[in-house]
Amino acid sequence: LDVTLELLRQGRAREVLATDISAAMLQRGRRKIPAAWRDRVRTALADARALPLPDHSVDGVTIAFGIRNILPRKDAFAEAVRVLTPGGRLCVLEFGTGDERIWGGLYRFYLRHVLPGVGRLISKDNKAYLYLSETIQAFPPARQLAAEMRAAGFERVYHLPLLSGIVQLY
């Protein structure tokens, strides 16, 4: 619910329905909600490909560091189109592929060799950070993801590289 809290903090939302496919993530996130905002946040266990919302009912949909875990992505994009009001906005924050010239091979080296090792030391979970590395490397470049969004029905699609393209905002 970090994005939810930031939307409320910036005054960008009056009410937020925060969903996640993981009950544990929702539980952790609920503990972060300040008492003053609890009446403005609802949570629901839900798959991004089947949101518990009526057609054309929300002004915005966000997903942070999760679209790479949803397959097929086109189903999640189609669902966002379904629930958004006309003129509504989808914002996706996701790791980049590191294909930009400034990082290139260095980022790929980090993903393949450093991230899994550091993750193993910190979390004692051999698979979690290897999975993160693999999903980032398998993720399409920004232009391709933008094309997928257009194919789903989004009209004005653009992406903004952050941290020299290590993160992308769509």
Side-chain angles (χ1 to χ4, degrees), residues 72-153:
R73 280 185 299 275
K74 66 179 180 126
D75 293 350
F77 291 144
E79 186 66 353
V81 169
R82 181 188 70 79
V83 301
L84 282 167
T85 57
R89 180 179 287 184
L90 169 66
C91 292
V92 176
L93 185 65
E94 190 55 79
F95 290 110
T97 59
D99 287 340
E100 289 73 17
R101 272 182 41 186
I102 193 167
W103 293 107
L106 182 61
Y107 185 55
R108 283 188 290 281
F109 178 84
Y110 170 80
L111 289 174
R112 288 184 186 129
H113 303 289
V114 178
L115 179 63
V118 171
R120 195 171 29 257
L121 287 172
I122 293 171
S123 73
K124 309 295 187 230
D125 183 342
N126 289 339
K127 294 181 182 173
Y129 285 85
L130 182 59
Y131 172 80
L132 175 62
S133 173
E134 288 171 350
T135 60
I136 292 170
Q137 291 178 76
F139 199 65
R143 287 185 181 159
Q144 184 179 333
L145 189 71
E148 289 178 21
M149 295 171 79
R150 281 187 206 91

